[in-house]
Amino acid sequence: MKKKPLIISTDPGIDDIAAMTISLFAKKLDVRMIVPTWGNVALEYTLQNTLNLEQFLHTKVPVVVGANQPLVAPMISAAAVHGQTGIAGFDFEQANDDLVKPGLAATLMANEIENSPAKVTLLGIGPLTDFALLLKQYPAVKQNIEQIVIMGGNIGRGNHSPLAEYNIAGDPEAAQVVFHSGLPIKVAPLEIGNKAHLTPEQMQQVKECGSVGKMLYSLFSHIHEPDGDPRIKIFDPTAVGILLHPKMYTMKRAHVEIELRGQFTYGASVIDFMDQGNANSEIATDVDLAQFAKWFINSIKTAEQGRE
């Protein structure tokens, strides 16, 4: 089986930890590089969280230090949801920086892509700052990028502001660069994460998946929905699901623009399903919940086996 070469841009973050865990042990993926960026919390925390996770999982994928702020927008924070360090709910052993590869993220990503025999997929599960810098500084790499898969954006209401989803609102200018790249783009928007939940009973199954399951159970148990819903909503792993198990999703082509000027709509994803002539993305509009839950739990079992 040929594995898909993958570069992950991430801002861990509880659900980022789950998405990385699944990706690192997925039999169809070859994770070449992880680029922690600012996002849910500051870069100093997302970098350390990435290193701590790899130490916990016994993996050795190179880590490249990403952007510490957005291109233009003021920095925002989701520490209220994820905790000050981004991973409230589980105490990882502090890792050293042996896996950190020195150099600028855009340059190191460009080198990896240019030298890859197979086209590389980019997975964006945080603000898209580093991918925007890559595409602007090294546009020639586009010829060796297979696709960009994103968890971000929203068809309807947002979770950062009434009309903007957090990952896109974090760096709207970067998102606009990515959506205008001309590359194939697939998107798991906010609505898919809202739907792709796990019940308390299914979370108990996750907990029973050894050390990895207990770690994720502890992290996700820290999240409490404002409406008191006991189900756990799964966001970033939905993008990994598009890569690994696309038949779980209903995908629709759309033309996507990011609002950059609106006083009350800055960072909003304008997803137009009617403008098929200018479609630049495929948007997940539905997910088979039973299949998703089964896939998620089985993926954690696979990670536990791989860790051992």
Side-chain angles (χ1 to χ4, degrees), residues 36 42 60 63 86 103 154 161 172 176-177 211 287:
K60 301 290 183 182
V63 174
N154 50 297
S161 71
Q176 183 76 333
V177 168
S211 299
V287 60

Side-chain angles (χ1 to χ4, degrees), residues 8-17 19 35-41 46 67 69-79 81-82 123-132 148-154 157-161 163-179 186-191 193 234-240 256 258-260 266-269:
I8 301 175
S9 175
T10 179
D11 61 336
I14 291 170
D15 51 338
D16 301 75
I17 294 286
V35 185
T37 183
W38 80 278
N40 284 314
V41 289
T46 63
Q69 58 186 303
L71 297 178
V72 177
M75 270 200 296
I76 59 178
S77 173
V81 176
H82 296 266
L123 176 67
I125 51 176
L128 297 172
T129 311
D130 287 301
F131 287 167
I148 304 175
V149 181
I150 297 165
M151 188 278 123
N154 50 297
R157 307 298 285 184
N159 65 344
H160 171 68
S161 71
L163 294 177
E165 179 275 332
Y166 187 88
N167 283 347
I168 302 299
D171 197 337
E173 285 78 11
Q176 183 76 333
V177 168
V178 171
F179 279 104
K186 293 178 181 174
V187 180
L190 183 65
E191 287 79 4
I234 309 291
F235 291 96
D236 289 338
T238 60
V240 185
V256 178
I258 307 302
E259 175 56 62
L260 302 180
Y266 180 58
S269 304

Side-chain angles (χ1 to χ4, degrees), residues 82-189:
H82 296 266
Q84 181 183 354
T85 65
I87 49 170
F90 187 81
D91 293 324
F92 286 96
E93 183 180 340
Q94 194 84 345
N96 60 34
D97 61 358
D98 287 352
L99 291 181
V100 174
K101 191 172 181 178
L104 293 173
T107 303
L108 294 174
M109 285 191 288
N111 291 341
E112 184 66 41
I113 294 165
E114 288 169 349
N115 294 321
S116 176
K119 288 191 173 186
V120 176
T121 292
L122 305 182
L123 176 67
I125 51 176
L128 297 172
T129 311
D130 287 301
F131 287 167
L133 290 168
L134 166 70
L135 295 169
K136 280 294 190 183
Q137 292 179 293
Y138 299 95
V141 300
K142 292 179 187 179
Q143 62 189 2
N144 209 31
I145 294 175
E146 180 177 340
Q147 62 180 335
I148 304 175
V149 181
I150 297 165
M151 188 278 123
N154 50 297
I155 299 168
R157 307 298 285 184
N159 65 344
H160 171 68
S161 71
L163 294 177
E165 179 275 332
Y166 187 88
N167 283 347
I168 302 299
D171 197 337
E173 285 78 11
Q176 183 76 333
V177 168
V178 171
F179 279 104
H180 278 254
S181 66
L183 289 165
I185 297 174
K186 293 178 181 174
V187 180

